[in-house]
Structure formats: structure tokens, C-alpha cells
Amino acid sequence: MHSNQYAITEVKQIINAGGNIVKESTISTLLTDSRRISNAAEGLFFALSARRNGHEFVAEAYAAGVRNFVVKQGAEFNLPGANFLLVDDPLAALQTLAAYHRGQFKLEVIGITGSNGKTIVKEWLYQLLAADKNIVRNPKSYNSQIGVPLSVWQINNRNDLGIFEAGISTINEMDKLQAIIKPQIGVLTHIGPAHDEGFTDRRQKVLEKLKLFKNSKQLIYNYDQLIDFTKDIPVKETFTWSRKFKQADLYVFSETAISKKYYLRAYFQKKEIECLIPFSDLASIENAITCWATMLALGYSAVEADDRIERLNPVSMRLELKNGVNNCSVIDDSYNSDLQSLEIALNFLSQQNQHQKRTLILSDILQSGLSQEVLYCQVANLIGTKSIDKFIGVGDALMNNQACFDIAEQHFFKDTPALLQQLKTLNFKEETILIKGSRSFEFERISGALTQKAHETIMEINLNTLLSNLNFYRTKLKPGVKVMAMVKAFSYGSGTFEVANMLQYNKVDYLAVAYIDEGVALRQAGINLPMMVLNPEASAFDKLTEYKLEPVIYSFGLLDDFVVYTQERGIVNYPVHLKIDTGMHRLGFENLDIETLCDMLEANRYIRVQSVFSHLVASEAKQHDEFSKKQIKRFEKAFKEIEKTLGYKVIKHICNTAGIIRWPSAHYDMVRLGIGLYGIDSSVPVAENALQPIASLKTSIAQVKKIGAGDTISYGRSGSLLKDGKIATVRIGYADGYLRAFGNGVGKMLVKGTLVPTVGNITMDMCMLDVSGLDVSEGDEVIIFDGRLRIEELAKQIGTIPYEILTNVSQRVKRVYFYE
């Protein structure tokens, strides 16, 4: 039986690498991100070249204790005591090593792919089969060319079942994943439009996905969706399910909603069987039927499958970052707990810099397959690498293994009620708290006790989408072009340190804020990136220099004031940014000013020009392209004169969000990424799905009323229904940022997937919707904007721009941040 420990000399042979071994080492951990180093002593770092060149972070990984590296042929490093394996392609080497590791084990493997539902089906199959099998699976949705090998590397000799999902975005990707996963059993989930843009048509996408199963002995799939592909199925033995065709192995002929559950009847092996699904949304129903079919295909009885499916729990796909009591931040991951997801959650905790103190509340980890002593020693070692200041363990197993932990402040409780009784004595204050627990421990009760209460209107911010948008723009830049992220105006309404932490962790080069106090708040929250202040006030220069913020100098008066300030305090070479007005006519030095400006800069030892920049007036508008060209020429003339005077090179930047896409020739040394980071860019067609809004604004129904035809509604009696109907009063008004201009049918919201208009005037805290004909109840969710009802559409409704909609959302609206 093989473990996942290999000698570095063995690894070198497996991946056919060159290079010299200067010191023999044992490898047990594969690393691809210098920010997420664990078990450095036995780690092997792969310098992958994706959006960022991994070779640039080798030194950072070395500083974290890593001494074994896989790098591209020709790369040269002088790091004492480190082993460097040289390969043509580090990613291919990672995949080769994982495929070799997979080949050392005889366990049964289920491979899952599809457009949607892969992770849910994988997690539900884990719930359904864990009672009988020791299962290894992808952490979260690690299903990519990098994620799959990292997932398969987890296989050890205790596992007798693997469940791995594979995700692809274009052709010629699946063969590589198939060679790593080698599934004997295949499961194909819903085929939909996700990632269609990477393929010429739907057929090409389906055929690419089917490659995962080319050597499988059995495939489970929805016959309705693949009826046109039956000749392309690469597996002889299939198990099909259908809602339309009786010849399917599992024919679902009856579906009935029962409260918030769903009752299914079907024919299987010429007998009628039944299944109660504890969910009612369409996606969950389809995913649950796929799991039902898989259990039957694996030989479980219809009774046993029904019993287990009825007890399925929702899958928490993402971490939630919320404001907590006593100025705390709370990361809520209170629905599952295993070693892999614990490491992911701890990495997210380590990104948070807003509080010096970090706290972990952890429940017993169930169904790990390890002895308690081994498991909790591993947990303790993992926690020990993540700078945890306070540890709270909940459960009998943690109580019995306290000796494994050595943290300055640690507490142990038998169960959740015991912790809740002592919660006040633990003095939570100004700390970031990760709540991580198995579902049976009901840690949502702890989350509820530690989270600030707010009214039911919330704005959800998806930090993964923020990162995806950032990476989209990075792909448009040449190597070496820096990114300045605009986080002014509360990050366009999306948050302060929450967004800035994510940007800092993902190594943007600069941040920009509007005013000094915004920069001070970010510094106090632990953000240490270089930060440009667009509108510095002379009265706050002391705060600016104290917190190492960099002012924009846009006028002679401001330049004089700042030079005098630095001169009086003996400050030398303080970094500043010069703004050139090339056509906006808002702030900045004009062309006529450049000669005088150069005279003032010459031999000025009190300031050092960090960058020279300007602002394109209409970078997104084709009809103004000639004007944009004139701006670029004026800018080039100005910065060349300034650099000549200074005698050194400065950072040049003129492109805003739309400019990044439309004016690649003007990227210069840096670009300023603004609202595009938040998913809005008129120069990127919505249909391409290249960008996604990061924010969703949601509220709920407070009351439903029947209204007679002609009865008036809201202030001023301006609203009414043409015929008898009903209205829903929802918890959002102009004090929350839903402007009065949306009243009287102008604005529309989504209720149960249906677009419904406002009725009457918008009030301060509430507004009314016409929900005639809809089955709605108090407490139902209402969507003001999200990925379907986009901010751009709301802007059109009232004749404004998306910026105004996004930045108008009031600070009293609770923000919840999600990270997968």
C-alpha cells in the first residue's frame, strides 16, 4: 500500500525532470500558491505560469520555508539548500505526478462533470455514501487543471472510494483530467450554457465532457439531455434517468411539491418507487435525481436510497464574511468540517487584516477515517501555521485531545449549548472570528449570537467574482503593466477592508481612494499596499504622511502647500502623483502649465514623482475616439517633458476600465481598474459573460395586501391598480438607496423569478410592488439587482449610470461577503 510521501529523487524520476538534488527530502504536500504555504518542510512548489508567472514567487515560497521546487527549464535561482527540478512545463509535471499517485491505488472512483451541479452532486454523494465508504473528494470546487491534481493527491491507503469532479472551459482539457482521475463510474450532471463561450457549439462541449468517461465501466446521466448523443456515449454500461421517456432505467413520472420538499414517484426495474427530496428549487431537484439514480446504479435498494436522500443537507458552497458584535468580523462556515475545507477557511482568515487578533471556533471533525489522536495532531499542526490567537474547540473528541493544541488562549466545550452559555465570558472584541463546524453541531446558533443584527435588506458581495473580474483584465495586459484598483467611495458601495483585503492578497500593485480619511481607514484595517489619494486636503497632510498615503498633486497651490509642509518637517523624497488635464477639465495641470511645473520640480528634493497620469473622458465611446487620441498625444507630450526634467522614469497611466479594453496601446506602465472590477463595463458585451456583477441587493416581503381596483397606494395617492389584485410591501426605501425615481412603476424587482413593478411613491424605508397573480408570502425573497436583473438595467429605468446605483446603496444596508 502506498502513501502520499515520496522522496524528492523519486519525484524527479516520475516527472522526468532535470536539475540537481542538493539535499534529500520527503515530499508530502503539493504547493502552487506562495500565499498558501503549509507543511513547508515537506512541500513541493510548482512555479505555474497562468495569469501570474509562478517563478516570480519562488523567493517568497523559499522565505516561507519551502526547499523543493519544480520550475521551467532555463530558470535560474541561487537559493542555498534548495532543490530545483527543471521541466518543460510545471503544470504538466504537476498533472503527471498526480496521475502517477492515482495509479498506486485500487480504490473505486466516481468521476463527475457537467455544466452545472458538479460540486453539489459530489458533496451530496459524499453525504449519501460516507456511512459505508472512506471517501476522498475535491475540496470545495477544486475541479480545474490545477485543482484536480491537488485533489487526487489527497488519496491515501485508507480510502476505498474517490469522488472527483472535473471542470473544463474549452477543448483539449478533459483528456488531461481523465488521465488523473481515471474514473470507473461516471456521472454527468446538467448540461447548460455555462462555459459555452469556450466551444464552437453545444455539441463540441458535450463531446469534450464525455472524454472523462472514455475508460469508465458505467455512466449515469439524464437521458432527456443526451438523447441526441446516444451514439457518442463512450461507455457500454449506462444508467439513465428521464422525465419524458419510459425506456430510461429510472423514469420519473410524478412530481409534487409538499411544503418546502418535493415528492417524486418513478419506475425502476418495472416497480414503482418513491423519493422525498428536502428541497424545492429546480436545480436542487435535478441534482437530487442524479444522486438518486447514482445510488440505484451502485446497487442500493430503493428504500435505502429514499431514506438517505430525505436526510440530505444543503451544501454551503461559500464562506460568509459578516460584521460582528463589538467591532468583530465573523467568517461563517458553520455547515461542514474536514481537513481540506478547514485549510481553505484558514487561508481566507489569514487574508483578513482588519483586526490583529484571529480566532477559530472549531467543532469535532466527523468521518475523517483517521484515529482521533492522528487527526487532531494534524489539525493542531495546520492551525499552528496560521497565526491563530484564540482557539475554541467544541465536541467530545476535541475535549479529549486538548494536549495536541498549544495556542496562547484556548478553550474547550463539550457541545454547542455549553459554549453558548459561556459566550459572554469569552470577551469577543475587535477580532476576526472563523466559525467552522460540522452541521450536526448547529454552529449557526453561534454565528447568530456573534453577528450584528440588521434589517432584512442585504447586499451580498461575491469575492470570487471580484477576483475573476480582476483576472479578466489582467489577461488584457502585457507583462509588467501594473494594476491600480479604485476603491474610492466605499469600493463603489461594495465595502472597505473586505474588498481591499482581497485585492491585497491577490497582489494588485496600487490602490486609489478619493480622500485621506478613506486611506487612513484602510491602513488601520491592515492594508499596506501603496495608496494614491485623489483629493488630498492640506488640512490633513499630517494624517497623509503618518499613514504613508501618496497624494495626487493637481494644482500649483496644492504643490506649494505640500512642498512647504514637507520642508518644515524635514521630509525628503515623499512620493506624489501628478495629474495632467488632457481634456476632462476637472482637476489637473493643463498643457500650458507643464513648463512652469517642470521648473518647480527641477531639483526639488522634498517630493519624488511616483507617477504621472491623466484621465480619458470617453474611453468607452467610439464616437469620441478622435478626442481620446488627442488626449493620449497631449499626455505623452506632458510626461516626456516631466521625465526629462526629473532625470528618472516615472509610472505613466491614463487608461480607466473601458480604456483597458479599447485602448491597449495606451496601457503604458499601469492601468486604473474601476467599476469593471465590480462587474460593469460597457465596452465588454454582457452576452460574452466575461464579467459578472459582484453585488446582489436583496430584501424580503414584509406584508401582502389585497387591493381593490382604484384604491390608492402610498404617499400622495399616486399609485393604484387597474383591477383587483394584491401588493407586497418590501423592506427597502430611499434611505437604503432605492431612489424615489423608481416609484410608480418605473422600477421593477424580481419576486420568485418574475419581474414586478413598483406601485406608488417609494417611501423612506419601504416600497410596494404589484404582485397580482403571484403566489407570494411574507418573508419571501425579493431581488433588487443581481446577475439576472443587472445594475445596468436599473440605471436605464431612471436614466442614470450604474455608478450612481451602486454607490447609492446606504451604509445601513448590511453587507455580507462570500468566498468559495
Side-chain angles (χ1 to χ4, degrees):
M1 301 288 276
H2 206 286
S3 70
N4 64 342
Q5 287 190 327
Y6 293 80
I8 188 66
T9 49
E10 187 180 4
V11 172
K12 181 183 178 183
Q13 184 177 1
I14 292 168
I15 65 176
N16 192 27
N20 296 319
I21 304 296
V22 299
K23 184 178 181 181
E24 189 55 65
S25 301
T26 298
I27 301 300
S28 64
T29 305
L30 306 186
L31 306 168
T32 62
D33 191 331
S34 61
R35 301 162 301 182
R36 301 173 180 176
I37 301 296
S38 60
N39 191 21
E42 295 188 0
L44 177 61
F45 182 85
F46 289 79
L48 305 179
S49 296
R51 294 185 179 94
R52 304 293 291 270
N53 185 349
H55 296 79
E56 296 175 3
F57 304 103
V58 165
E60 192 174 316
Y62 180 85
V66 179
R67 293 296 180 267
N68 297 285
F69 300 88
V70 177
V71 299
K72 196 173 179 65
Q73 292 277 6
E76 294 185 6
F77 296 93
N78 184 21
L79 298 174
N83 296 318
F84 285 93
L85 305 185
L86 306 179
V87 297
D88 291 331
D89 182 353
L91 175 57
L94 170 67
Q95 294 170 339
T96 298
L97 181 58
Y100 177 88
H101 182 68
R102 163 71 179 90
Q104 306 309 300
F105 299 90
K106 302 297 183 183
L107 79 168
E108 189 171 54
V109 171
I110 298 174
I112 303 172
T113 193
S115 300
N116 307 99
K118 298 183 291 294
T119 303
I120 297 296
V121 168
K122 178 201 69 189
E123 292 298 322
W124 279 352
L125 287 177
Y126 174 79
Q127 289 183 30
L128 294 166
L129 305 177
D132 311 311
K133 302 284 187 179
N134 187 300
I135 301 173
V136 57
R137 69 196 194 282
N138 314 66
K140 298 287 185 177
S141 56
Y142 275 38
N143 59 25
S144 66
Q145 298 291 309
I146 299 171
V148 166
L150 295 179
S151 301
V152 168
W153 182 257
Q154 299 174 96
I155 298 174
N156 61 56
N157 53 26
R158 293 179 298 274
N159 304 131
D160 48 24
L161 176 63
I163 307 177
F164 298 110
E165 58 172 301
I168 56 172
S169 56
T170 189
I171 59 171
N172 301 322
E173 290 187 341
M174 190 58 87
D175 280 329
K176 299 171 185 176
L177 301 186
Q178 189 278 333
I180 301 169
I181 296 173
K182 299 183 180 74
Q184 299 99 340
I185 298 167
V187 177
L188 190 65
T189 64
H190 180 80
I191 298 296
H195 303 297
D196 272 0
E197 65 274 11
F199 303 90
T200 55
D201 54 32
R202 186 67 59 88
R203 178 173 180 78
Q204 186 185 59
K205 182 170 78 169
V206 172
L207 293 179
E208 182 71 18
K209 289 184 178 295
L210 287 174
K211 290 179 181 178
L212 178 62
F213 314 119
K214 63 182 180 183
N215 294 323
S216 300
K217 65 181 182 182
Q218 186 181 38
L219 175 62
I220 298 123
Y221 67 93
N222 181 351
Y223 185 77
D224 302 347
Q225 290 203 320
L226 258 65
I227 191 170
D228 296 328
F229 294 87
T230 51
K231 293 181 180 179
D232 302 300
I233 302 295
V235 183
K236 290 183 178 180
E237 182 183 339
T238 63
F239 188 102
T240 59
W241 68 269
S242 174
R243 286 164 154 154
K244 300 177 182 177
F245 300 97
K246 294 181 180 180
Q247 65 265 37
D249 295 287
L250 179 67
Y251 169 52
V252 181
F253 68 86
S254 175
E255 304 181 39
T256 307
I258 303 175
S259 184
K260 293 186 178 181
K261 298 184 179 181
Y262 212 73
Y263 176 60
L264 302 173
R265 295 163 63 199
Y267 285 115
F268 169 62
Q269 296 180 342
K270 298 181 180 180
K271 295 180 181 178
E272 184 177 322
I273 63 173
E274 62 183 7
C275 184
L276 186 63
I277 298 170
F279 311 99
S280 58
D281 63 285
L282 296 178
S284 293
I285 293 165
E286 182 172 341
N287 291 332
I289 295 174
T290 299
C291 292
W292 189 19
T294 303
M295 291 198 73
L296 296 172
L298 292 176
Y300 285 85
S301 71
V303 173
E304 182 67 19
D306 174 37
D307 179 61
R308 294 192 185 187
I309 288 172
E310 188 176 349
R311 291 183 278 116
L312 278 177
N313 291 312
V315 175
S316 176
M317 294 292 295
R318 49 195 189 175
L319 305 170
E320 297 182 26
L321 176 61
K322 310 171 183 177
N323 290 328
V325 298
N326 302 326
N327 195 33
C328 290
S329 298
V330 176
I331 302 171
D332 189 350
D333 193 13
S334 56
Y335 293 103
N336 65 85
S337 188
D338 54 56
L339 274 172
Q340 290 75 37
S341 65
L342 174 60
E343 183 172 4
I344 292 169
L346 286 170
N347 285 332
F348 185 60
L349 175 62
S350 69
Q351 295 178 33
Q352 308 307 313
N353 300 291
Q354 59 269 29
H355 307 295
Q356 289 187 345
K357 189 172 185 178
R358 293 188 174 101
T359 296
L360 170 63
I361 304 177
L362 180 70
S363 79
D364 286 350
I365 294 176
L366 309 177
Q367 299 171 330
S368 72
L370 299 171
S371 69
Q372 285 193 10
E373 183 179 358
V374 170
L375 171 63
Y376 291 107
C377 282
Q378 289 187 15
V379 170
N381 289 335
L382 176 60
I383 293 172
T385 67
K386 301 299 180 180
S387 302
I388 299 300
D389 303 290
K390 181 195 293 186
F391 176 67
I392 299 168
V394 181
D396 290 333
L398 280 164
M399 289 274 289
N400 295 334
N401 289 276
Q402 296 182 38
C404 293
F405 297 88
D406 182 21
I407 298 169
E409 182 181 352
Q410 56 188 44
H411 311 269
F412 293 88
F413 298 91
K414 177 181 176 61
D415 52 29
T416 302
L419 169 57
L420 288 169
Q421 285 181 355
Q422 299 296 318
L423 208 59
K424 290 184 178 179
T425 67
L426 294 170
N427 298 318
F428 295 103
K429 185 177 182 181
E430 296 186 346
E431 53 199 280
T432 305
I433 307 165
L434 170 60
I435 302 174
K436 180 72 176 165
S438 299
R439 182 173 294 276
S440 60
F441 281 82
E442 297 181 342
F443 268 17
E444 62 269 22
R445 297 167 63 190
I446 300 171
S447 176
L450 293 178
T451 303
Q452 275 186 0
K453 304 301 181 288
H455 72 93
E456 293 186 43
T457 299
I458 64 170
M459 188 151 84
E460 297 179 350
I461 312 296
N462 189 320
L463 296 175
N464 294 94
T465 303
L466 177 85
L467 177 57
S468 177
N469 293 340
L470 170 64
N471 286 332
F472 166 75
Y473 285 101
R474 277 177 166 161
T475 64
K476 306 299 178 184
L477 305 178
K478 293 178 181 178
V481 176
K482 300 178 185 294
V483 175
M484 174 182 281
M486 311 300 288
V487 292
K488 61 180 182 176
F490 196 57
S491 293
Y492 292 72
S494 298
T496 52
F497 59 78
E498 300 90 352
V499 169
N501 271 329
M502 192 71 175
L503 295 171
Q504 178 168 272
Y505 187 71
N506 286 283
K507 299 184 182 298
V508 301
D509 302 283
Y510 255 94
L511 296 179
V513 295
Y515 296 103
I516 291 171
D517 58 351
E518 292 178 332
V520 170
L522 290 177
R523 286 284 187 255
Q524 290 175 338
I527 304 302
N528 54 33
L529 285 173
M531 203 176 306
M532 184 175 85
V533 180
L534 293 164
N535 301 296
E537 311 96 324
S539 61
F541 281 164
D542 56 337
K543 289 293 184 184
L544 182 137
T545 54
E546 179 186 352
Y547 287 95
K548 295 181 172 58
L549 306 174
E550 301 175 10
V552 167
I553 303 297
Y554 53 78
S555 70
F556 291 116
L558 188 60
L559 179 58
D560 283 337
D561 288 344
F562 193 67
V563 169
V564 169
Y565 173 84
T566 54
Q567 187 176 14
E568 290 176 348
R569 287 156 183 79
I571 297 172
V572 176
N573 286 334
Y574 197 89
V576 302
H577 303 261
L578 300 179
K579 184 165 188 178
I580 309 301
D581 182 0
T582 57
M584 173 73 82
H585 298 323
R586 182 173 58 182
L587 295 173
F589 296 99
E590 298 189 40
N591 274 13
L592 294 174
D593 300 328
I594 300 303
E595 185 176 348
T596 305
L597 175 61
C598 287
D599 289 341
M600 296 182 68
L601 293 174
E602 194 169 15
N604 189 320
R605 67 188 187 92
Y606 299 103
I607 61 173
R608 180 177 178 86
V609 178
Q610 194 74 6
S611 84
V612 176
F613 74 102
S614 189
H615 194 95
L616 293 174
V617 175
S619 57
E620 75 286 353
K622 190 174 182 179
Q623 66 269 31
H624 297 303
D625 281 356
E626 287 305 313
F627 188 79
S628 294
K629 290 177 184 177
K630 289 180 182 178
Q631 284 194 271
I632 292 168
K633 286 181 180 178
R634 291 169 186 163
F635 178 58
E636 288 189 351
K637 183 176 184 294
F639 75 64
K640 285 177 181 178
E641 289 184 39
I642 292 169
E643 281 191 330
K644 184 178 179 181
T645 298
L646 293 172
Y648 56 82
K649 294 291 185 182
V650 300
I651 299 170
K652 283 84 70 178
H653 49 111
I654 193 172
C655 280
N656 55 3
T657 290
I660 296 172
I661 302 299
R662 298 198 67 245
W663 296 97
S665 61
H667 286 173
Y668 298 112
D669 305 305
M670 185 161 67
V671 295
R672 298 189 304 277
L673 182 52
I675 200 165
L677 190 60
Y678 308 95
I680 300 166
D681 185 349
S682 60
S683 63
V684 179
V686 172
E688 291 184 2
N689 291 318
L691 295 175
Q692 290 296 322
I694 73 166
S696 300
L697 182 59
K698 301 177 180 180
T699 188
S700 61
I701 294 176
Q703 191 174 22
V704 179
K705 290 179 178 288
K706 292 182 178 180
I707 300 293
D711 287 353
T712 58
I713 300 159
S714 195
Y715 288 119
R717 303 188 66 197
S718 59
S720 63
L721 302 181
L722 295 176
K723 56 183 180 180
D724 292 354
K726 59 184 177 182
I727 62 168
T729 300
V730 298
R731 297 177 170 95
I732 190 169
Y734 58 76
D736 302 297
Y738 195 68
L739 303 174
R740 292 186 79 246
F742 285 113
N744 297 297
V746 174
K748 295 175 177 61
M749 301 183 193
L750 278 171
V751 181
K752 290 195 168 181
T754 300
L755 211 56
V756 297
T758 58
V759 185
N761 287 320
I762 308 299
T763 68
M764 182 179 289
D765 310 302
M766 299 276 185
C767 64
M768 281 65 79
L769 304 174
D770 181 358
V771 292
S772 302
L774 292 182
D775 180 17
V776 298
S777 306
E778 293 179 9
D780 282 351
E781 181 181 76
V782 177
I783 296 171
I784 295 91
F785 60 72
D786 66 355
R788 292 166 293 170
L789 180 55
R790 294 175 63 103
I791 294 174
E792 296 95 323
E793 179 59 33
L794 269 71
K796 288 179 184 177
Q797 291 170 3
I798 62 170
T800 187
I801 58 174
Y803 292 80
E804 185 176 2
I805 301 297
L806 195 54
T807 58
N808 238 6
V809 179
S810 167
Q811 292 305 297
R812 81 173 186 176
V813 172
K814 178 181 176 182
R815 269 74 170 172
V816 177
Y817 299 84
F818 292 109
Y819 179 74
E820 182 178 314

